[in-house]
Amino acid sequence: MRRRLTLLVAAAMTLTLLAFLAPLALLVRSVAEDTAVDRAARDAQTLALLVATGDRDAVALAAERMNAAGSFTVYLADGTTLGAPAPATDAVRFARSGRSLTVASDSGREIVLAVQGEGVAVVRAQVPEADLRRGVSRAWLMLAGLGALLLGLGVVVADRLAVSLVRPMGEVSAASRQLAAGQLDVRAAVAGPPEVREAAAALNHLAGRIQELLQQERENVADLSHRLRTPLTALRLEAETLPDPHAGRVAARIDGLERTVSALIRQARQRVAEPSGCDIAAVVAQRVTFWSALAEDTDRAMTSQLDDGPLPAAVPADELAAAVDALLGNVFAHTPDGVSFSVGLTRSGDVARLVVADEGGGLPGLTGRGISGGGSTGLGLDIASRLAASGGGSLRAGARSDGRPGTEVVLDLALVRPVLTSA
C-alpha cells in the first residue's frame, strides 16, 4: 500500500508538472524568438533612417558595425549593395514595391524594410536560427531540473505520508497475528488516521474480551475438575476395602485418573501454553502397558509392535497420553469383550505413525465434536485430531488397510530433531 500511494502521488505530480512546464517551455521559446526578431527589427529601422538621409558612407559604416552582431544588407535603388553581401531574395524583390515584411526562411527570419527616396531602397536583416533559439536550451534544462526537484520532493513527502498511514495498519495487522498465535496480552497501538485508530481500539477491545472469556472458561473447567477430587477420594477409600489383587489394580487406575485431573487443572489455569515436547515411543509404551492389564481382564488378545525411541515430537506428554488413551479406549468402548486389537508405532522419515486396529464391527460414525452415533460423548477422536493438528500431523479413521474386518485409526505426528523431555 505504501508503494501504491507513492506511485499514485508521483503519477499525479508528473501530469501536473507536464501540464505546467510544457506550455512554459513553449512560452520561453516564443519569447526568445520575439526578442531576437525585435532586436534585429530595431537595428534595421535605425539603418533605414540612415538610408533615407542619402549618406552612403554613414550607411556603409553603420551596416559594417551592425554586422558584427548580425547580418544586415542594404540594397540601394541604383542596384548598389552595402553591408553583408547577399543575393536579393524574393522578399527583397517584393519590398521593391514599397512594402515592408518579415518572413521565415530555412536559415531563420528575414526582415525587409522598404525605404522611399529617389527610388525604393531595401534594408534586409537576417536573424539566424541560432539567435532565435539562444538561451532556450538552458531555460528548458532549468525547467526540467525544477520539475525533477519538485517531483522528487513530492515523492519523498508522499512516501512519508504513506508511512504514517501504513505503519499503524501494519502494527494492527501484526498485533492480530500475535493474538491469533495465542499471545492474548498483545495490544495494538492506537495511532494513525481516525479509521486506523478505531480499528486498533476495536481489536484491543476484542482481545480483552476474548481474554476474559478464556479466563472464565479456565476457571470453570478448573472448578469442575477440582470437584472431581471428592468422588475420586471416595473411590480410593472404596478400593482399599477390595480384596487383593483387585485393590492394587483399582488403586493404580484411580491414581492415573487423579493425575489426569491434576494435569487438567494445571492446564486450565495456565494462561499461555508453554512450548513442550515428549518422546512418543516412551509415552505410547507407557499407555500400552497400562491398557494391557484391562485387555487381559476382558479376554482381548493385544498385539503391540513399537519402534524403539527416542521419537521426539513437539507435543506435551500428557496430551499425547490422553490421545492414546482415547484411541485405545474406543476399542474397549465400541467392541465386545474378547475382540483382539493391535497397536503399532513406526517411524517413516520425519513422521511417527501410530496405528490402532481392532477386529470389531467398526467405530460409530462421528458427525461432529460431542456428537456420536454409539452412545458416547464423541470427543475421543476429536482429542486425537486436535493433538495431530498441533503436532503437525493428521488423523485418519476407517476400515483396516489390510482388508480384514474391523477399524483402523492412524495418527501421524511430525518429529523434531532435538530430543525433548521424555515422559
Side-chain angles (χ1 to χ4, degrees):
M1 183 176 180
R2 172 183 175 183
R3 184 177 181 181
R4 290 184 178 180
L5 288 175
T6 304
L7 290 177
L8 177 62
V9 173
M13 286 199 63
T14 300
L15 294 177
T16 303
L17 289 173
L18 287 176
F20 173 73
L21 294 179
L24 186 59
L26 296 177
L27 178 62
V28 167
R29 186 178 68 179
S30 178
V31 169
E33 292 177 354
D34 293 344
T35 299
V37 171
D38 290 343
R39 183 170 58 249
R42 288 195 302 269
D43 292 341
Q45 289 174 355
T46 300
L47 192 58
L49 292 176
L50 293 176
V51 172
T53 62
D55 189 348
R56 291 193 175 190
D57 295 335
V59 171
L61 182 62
E64 183 179 356
R65 187 176 66 253
M66 291 179 181
N67 282 332
S71 178
F72 294 89
T73 306
V74 178
Y75 303 92
L76 299 177
D78 58 3
T80 304
T81 302
L82 302 176
T89 61
D90 293 340
V92 172
R93 287 188 289 270
F94 182 79
R96 293 286 188 183
S97 62
R99 291 187 175 184
S100 302
L101 71 157
T102 301
V103 297
S105 63
D106 295 338
S107 58
R109 296 287 179 87
E110 186 178 359
I111 302 173
V112 291
L113 299 177
V115 182
Q116 300 289 340
E118 295 180 358
V120 178
V122 177
V123 178
R124 175 180 179 270
Q126 177 66 33
V127 183
E129 191 70 25
D131 290 349
L132 294 175
R133 299 289 182 266
R134 182 169 299 166
V136 174
S137 298
R138 184 172 63 252
W140 282 3
L141 287 176
M142 292 178 63
L143 290 176
L146 177 61
L149 178 62
L150 293 176
L151 180 60
L153 290 176
V155 169
V156 171
V157 173
D159 182 71
R160 294 298 91 194
L161 178 61
V163 168
S164 66
L165 294 175
V166 174
R167 181 177 296 167
M169 297 176 62
E171 293 177 354
V172 173
S173 177
S176 65
R177 288 194 296 270
Q178 290 176 315
L179 290 172
Q183 303 179 28
L184 300 181
D185 293 331
V186 174
R187 294 294 183 270
V190 182
E195 294 81 1
V196 179
R197 292 200 302 268
E198 183 178 354
L203 179 64
N204 292 340
H205 178 71
L206 177 61
R209 183 56 180 162
I210 292 175
Q211 196 171 23
E212 292 175 3
L213 293 176
L214 287 178
Q215 182 63 27
Q216 183 179 359
E217 181 182 0
R218 291 190 186 101
E219 294 298 331
N220 291 336
V221 173
D223 291 343
L224 179 60
S225 302
H226 189 72
R227 294 175 186 176
L228 292 176
R229 292 186 180 277
T230 300
L232 283 176
T233 303
L235 284 176
R236 184 182 299 278
L237 295 176
E238 291 290 338
E240 293 176 356
T241 63
L242 295 176
D244 292 332
H246 301 290
R249 187 182 303 126
V250 174
R253 293 174 183 174
I254 293 176
D255 290 338
L257 181 58
E258 188 172 6
R259 287 195 299 271
T260 302
V261 171
S262 299
L264 181 60
I265 294 175
R266 289 194 302 270
Q267 184 178 2
R269 292 188 178 277
Q270 194 175 7
R271 294 182 62 86
V272 179
E274 296 293 336
S276 60
C278 67
D279 181 6
I280 299 177
V283 174
V284 173
Q286 182 187 35
R287 302 320 299 163
V288 168
T289 301
F290 174 83
W291 285 93
S292 62
L294 183 59
E296 183 179 353
D297 289 344
T298 55
D299 297 326
R300 298 175 183 270
M302 176 179 174
T303 305
S304 62
Q305 294 181 349
L306 310 179
D307 283 2
D308 295 333
L311 298 177
V315 294
D318 56 346
E319 293 187 11
L320 177 58
V324 176
D325 287 344
L327 298 183
L328 295 177
N330 277 332
V331 176
F332 288 84
H334 300 293
T335 61
D337 293 349
V339 174
S340 56
F341 66 98
S342 63
V343 181
L345 178 63
T346 58
R347 175 172 185 165
S348 176
D350 293 333
V351 175
R353 172 165 295 179
L354 174 65
V355 180
V356 178
D358 63 60
E359 298 180 359
L363 287 174
L366 295 178
T367 59
R369 176 175 170 83
I371 304 175
S372 172
S376 64
T377 62
L379 300 179
L381 289 181
D382 184 76
I383 293 174
S385 177
R386 286 188 290 115
L387 175 76
S390 65
S394 61
L395 178 73
R396 300 186 304 277
R400 294 181 59 148
S401 58
D402 57 6
R404 299 171 61 183
T407 301
E408 181 178 85
V409 181
V410 181
L411 173 63
D412 288 337
L413 291 175
L415 298 177
V416 294
R417 290 189 178 277
V419 178
L420 302 176
T421 304
S422 61

